[in-house]
Amino acid sequence: MLLRIQTPWQDTLSLTEQDLLALPQTEVRTSTPWTDGTRIFRGPLLRDVLKLAAREHDVLNTSLLAKSLNDYHVQIPSSDAWKWDVIIALRMNGHPMSRRDKGPLWIIYPRDSHAELKRPHYDHRWPWQLHFIELYELP
């Protein structure tokens, strides 16, 4: 199990690397505040993973708490996944990411494609070493 997702509907989804790779893969070419130059990231769209976890429920009206192996956690509005092509990256420059390289999973925003995403306000929404997502329904 590589990623576990807990929903407000008392469902838990455990995904392996093979499960994530079986979803349509998206490539994002972008710079990050933590890497040098432009990198090529590849993985499923965050919205596709959220839809898989939500099943028949409306996931657009949720927020997610993303937790990393290093105990970092961040609240991310689910609407980000529909506003931009945010991915859960499994590959950087064609290679799997080790923990040392911020892997095995890293939430990646298409930062270089949208000027708004270059604002520091969004930098904290890039958890690396992602292993758990908890969805919350918004009031």
Side-chain angles (χ1 to χ4, degrees):
M1 192 265 313
L2 199 56
L3 178 63
R4 192 164 53 95
I5 303 173
Q6 176 69 49
T7 74
W9 311 286
Q10 305 308 316
D11 292 327
T12 300
L13 180 64
S14 296
L15 297 170
T16 65
E17 180 178 11
Q18 292 75 23
D19 295 330
L20 292 168
L21 289 171
L23 292 169
Q25 301 292 293
T26 298
E27 194 171 273
V28 173
R29 293 173 185 264
T30 194
S31 60
T32 82
W34 309 276
T35 57
D36 294 326
T38 299
R39 302 292 175 111
I40 303 168
F41 296 94
R42 188 169 176 79
L45 289 168
L46 176 59
R47 65 179 161 256
D48 289 345
V49 174
L50 296 178
K51 284 191 267 186
L52 188 65
R55 300 177 195 200
E56 74 279 355
H57 298 281
D58 178 16
V59 74
L60 190 54
N61 196 32
T62 62
S63 185
L64 58 100
L65 179 65
K67 296 182 181 182
S68 298
L69 292 169
N70 64 3
D71 292 328
Y72 179 77
H73 59 277
V74 62
Q75 199 82 27
I76 300 173
S78 296
S79 58
D80 280 8
W82 275 263
K83 187 172 183 179
W84 302 292
D85 286 342
V86 180
I87 66 170
I88 298 179
L90 292 112
R91 305 280 187 269
M92 181 170 53
N93 293 335
H95 302 286
M97 293 178 291
S98 69
R99 285 189 185 185
R100 193 173 268 180
D101 292 326
K102 315 249 186 283
L105 301 176
W106 188 0
I107 291 182
I108 300 292
Y109 281 74
R111 183 176 202 258
D112 290 353
S113 299
H114 304 278
E116 178 180 1
L117 292 174
K118 291 188 178 186
R119 293 184 8 222
H121 169 77
Y122 290 99
D123 289 349
H124 72 283
R125 296 183 187 179
W126 294 57
W128 54 75
Q129 296 179 345
L130 178 70
H131 77 100
F132 181 77
I133 294 174
E134 186 168 357
L135 292 174
Y136 293 94
E137 286 185 294
L138 297 174

